[in-house]
Amino acid sequence: MRENINVQKVDDQIDHVLEQIVHRRRRLGLSQTDLADKLDITLSGYYKIEKGKTKLDFRRMLEISEVLNVEINYFLKYPIVNINILGKRNVLLSEIT
């Protein structure tokens, strides 16, 4: 059961990241084509990222955050902090509050 909860949390986080990307892109007045061009990928490739059809890897997320001029934590629902609690590393902020 706990595994299903963790999978759901990860899915929620991914959905949130994608929503934040779309929100920030629109807020800056950029089209999907604009962002695809800045990332040097096809419009189809970018569309698939936004729709969650292509997995968003960390490198691409960093590139998107740079293009959208935000820190990586802007996209995260549960920001990651780099502390060590109970032997854990990169603990979710929600786990310690």
Side-chain angles (χ1 to χ4, degrees), residues 4-55:
N4 289 339
I5 292 170
N6 288 334
V7 168
Q8 186 60 49
K9 247 184 152 175
V10 169
D11 288 346
D12 288 348
Q13 180 74 293
I14 291 168
D15 290 344
H16 182 77
V17 167
L18 298 176
E19 289 169 10
Q20 289 296 96
I21 289 171
V22 172
H23 174 75
R24 180 66 178 172
R25 175 181 61 76
R26 288 179 177 162
R27 187 167 180 204
L28 293 176
L30 298 172
S31 68
Q32 288 180 333
T33 302
D34 294 333
L35 212 54
D37 290 344
K38 291 176 185 281
L39 295 169
D40 197 29
I41 60 176
T42 65
L43 174 57
S44 174
Y46 179 75
Y47 173 83
K48 288 177 184 178
I49 289 172
E50 268 195 14
K51 295 301 178 185
K53 297 184 184 298
T54 298
K55 287 186 180 179

Side-chain angles (χ1 to χ4, degrees), residues 51 63 78:
K51 295 301 178 185
E63 291 170 351
Y78 310 107

